[in-house]
């Protein structure tokens, strides 16, 4: 039987899955900017992972989560300005900084007022830099990857089995 703080969820599968809900940790994560917990990013780590160049230093050395949507920026986040087919994230750098981004990763020069007081790192390509950051973190922790699939692999999973 599940312990205190856990909940059993029944799904379409014949087995039960146990999901641990840690309410106290969720409350602490909200204060990430004030208390650095979890997997934050240091300036040196971002520069090492992306091979970027710091074009503006805010004096802060630690940042929170990496975000690509300026509306989801929290205090201390790292905003990556991705250029897509319809939108260019560089247009939203000012908005991300106003919302509290502590660091922005860009691939083209921006005016100083848009950067505000945030640390700015310039890279050759922001999409590649985002992948490099993910690769860096994955190498650092080397987690065990587990996939749960149905017994009969119908749909697309049947075509991607090795």
């Amino acid at each position: 039987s599940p312990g205190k703080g856990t909940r059993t969820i029944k799904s379409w599968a014949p087995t039960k899955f146990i999901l641990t809900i840690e309410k106290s940790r969720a409350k602490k994560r909200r204060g990430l900017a004030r208390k650095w917990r979890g997997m934050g990013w240091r300036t040196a780590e971002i520069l090492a992972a992306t091979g970027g160049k710091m074009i503006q230093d805010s004096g802060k050395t630690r940042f929170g989560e990496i975000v690509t949507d300026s509306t989801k920026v929290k205090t201390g986040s790292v905003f990556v300005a991705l250029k897509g087919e319809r939108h260019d994230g560089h247009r939203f750098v000012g908005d991300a900084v106003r919302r509290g981004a502590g660091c922005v990763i860009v691939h083209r020069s921006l005016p100083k007022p848009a950067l505000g007081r945030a640390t700015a790192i310039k890279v050759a390509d922001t999409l590649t830099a985002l992948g490099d950051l993910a690769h860096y973190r994955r190498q650092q922790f080397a987690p065990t990857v587990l996939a749960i699939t149905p017994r009969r692999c119908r749909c697309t999973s049947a075509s991607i089995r090795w």
Side-chain angles (χ1 to χ4, degrees):
S1 85
K4 187 176 180 181
T6 61
R7 177 174 67 182
T8 302
I9 298 176
K10 291 185 180 181
S11 68
W12 55 269
T15 58
K16 293 180 182 177
F17 294 93
I18 298 177
L19 173 67
T20 303
I21 300 172
E22 301 180 43
K23 295 177 184 173
S24 62
R25 291 189 92 194
K27 288 179 183 175
K28 289 179 184 176
R29 271 190 229 121
R30 289 185 199 128
L32 182 63
R34 284 175 259 125
K35 296 178 183 176
W36 296 99
R37 298 191 185 274
M39 299 191 313
W41 289 89
R42 290 190 168 97
T43 307
E45 290 176 324
I46 296 171
L47 292 171
T50 62
K53 179 184 174 189
M54 188 181 304
I55 55 175
Q56 180 173 309
D57 188 8
S58 68
K60 296 178 185 174
T61 58
R62 295 191 57 132
F63 307 103
E65 64 188 358
I66 293 177
V67 181
T68 58
D69 183 354
S70 64
T71 61
K72 304 232 166 115
V73 169
K74 297 177 186 169
T75 305
S77 298
V78 178
F79 177 70
V80 181
L82 295 176
K83 184 173 182 354
E85 292 179 16
R86 294 184 179 170
H87 298 288
D88 185 0
H90 293 78
R91 289 181 29 214
F92 303 102
V93 168
D95 183 44
V97 172
R98 279 191 297 279
R99 290 176 185 264
C103 178
V104 293
I105 300 176
V106 296
H107 70 254
R108 64 178 176 152
S109 298
L110 294 171
K112 292 275 185 188
L115 298 174
R117 293 185 177 181
T119 298
I121 297 174
K122 187 174 181 182
V123 295
D125 180 31
T126 52
L127 183 60
T128 304
L130 185 62
D132 292 340
L133 288 166
H135 180 71
Y136 178 87
R137 187 50 52 101
R138 179 99 187 253
Q139 279 187 327
Q140 195 176 27
F141 290 100
T144 302
V145 179
L146 172 69
I148 300 173
T149 61
R151 275 187 251 178
R152 295 180 190 170
C153 296
R154 300 175 192 168
C155 307
T156 57
S157 58
S159 61
I160 57 174
R161 285 185 285 165
W162 286 282

